[in-house]
């Protein structure tokens, strides 16, 4: 995983020891203040985070996790009415009760929960 470190000291040069070998790290500032350094090397990341300058001279940038889990949906053709969708969801392997699929809104929620898409069913109009 790529990690990005930031300093507010501009173009900063520092050394860390990685597996017994000193390594020079260069933070580059695009604006003269905010210097950045990024690496995917886990040993270098660990050395940076254990160095005496970590937390004082530079920090790990907070970057939101952009990985999105892929959800797979099953396409269900041939269902053209809410009644047919209800009957489909009442069968195995879903086995929902009449109360759980008593309205179009509940049917839509159940289909979403089971990752189903009724390809020929018209969506209900929201008010």
């Amino acid at each position: 995983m790529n990690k990005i470190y930031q300093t507010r000291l501009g173009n900063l040069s520092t050394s860390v020891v990685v597996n017994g070998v000193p390594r020079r790290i260069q933070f580059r500032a695009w604006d003269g203040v905010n210097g950045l350094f990024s690496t995917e090397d886990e040993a270098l990341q660990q050395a940076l985070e254990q160095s005496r300058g970590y937390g004082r001279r530079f920090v790990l940038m907070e970057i939101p996790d952009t990985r999105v889990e892929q959800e797979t949906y099953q396409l269900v053709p041939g269902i053209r009415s809410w009644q047919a969708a209800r009957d489909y969801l009442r069968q195995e392997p879903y086995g929902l009760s009449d109360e759980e699929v008593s309205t179009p809104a509940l049917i839509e929620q159940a289909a979403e929960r089971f990752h189903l898409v009724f390809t020929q069913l018209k969506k209900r109009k929201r008010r």
Side-chain angles (χ1 to χ4, degrees), residues 13-17 22-25 47-48 51-53 57-58:
S13 179
T14 189
S15 293
V16 294
V17 177
R23 291 214 19 208
R24 171 97 24 217
I25 305 299
L48 280 166
S51 74
R52 66 177 186 216
R57 300 178 77 196
F58 59 90

Side-chain angles (χ1 to χ4, degrees), residues 109-126:
Q109 290 172 6
E112 181 67 27
R113 188 171 63 240
F114 290 114
H115 298 267
L116 301 173
V117 177
F118 298 113
T119 57
Q120 296 174 335
L121 181 64
K122 291 187 179 183
K123 292 286 183 185
R124 65 186 181 92
K125 294 182 181 176
R126 303 208 184 255

Side-chain angles (χ1 to χ4, degrees), residues 32-66:
V33 177
N34 296 296
L36 298 177
F37 174 77
S38 69
T39 182
E40 290 185 354
D41 183 345
E42 290 182 19
L44 180 55
Q45 291 170 358
Q46 187 175 18
L48 280 166
E49 292 169 16
Q50 293 176 351
S51 74
R52 66 177 186 216
Y54 184 73
R56 292 184 210 139
R57 300 178 77 196
F58 59 90
V59 295
L60 177 63
M61 285 182 64
E62 294 295 324
I63 299 177
D65 191 2
T66 57

Side-chain angles (χ1 to χ4, degrees), residues 27-101:
F27 288 83
R28 300 286 181 198
W30 71 95
D31 61 358
V33 177
N34 296 296
L36 298 177
F37 174 77
S38 69
T39 182
E40 290 185 354
D41 183 345
E42 290 182 19
L44 180 55
Q45 291 170 358
Q46 187 175 18
L48 280 166
E49 292 169 16
Q50 293 176 351
S51 74
R52 66 177 186 216
Y54 184 73
R56 292 184 210 139
R57 300 178 77 196
F58 59 90
V59 295
L60 177 63
M61 285 182 64
E62 294 295 324
I63 299 177
D65 191 2
T66 57
R67 292 177 291 165
V68 177
E69 289 186 27
Q70 291 285 2
E71 295 182 357
T72 54
Y73 285 81
Q74 177 184 348
L75 301 180
V76 183
I79 304 292
R80 297 181 181 185
S81 69
W82 293 108
Q83 181 63 43
R86 179 182 329 172
D87 292 342
Y88 185 86
L89 289 168
R90 286 172 39 200
Q91 297 174 11
E92 289 299 324
Y94 312 109
L96 297 180
S97 68
D98 290 337
E99 292 81 27
E100 292 175 299
V101 288

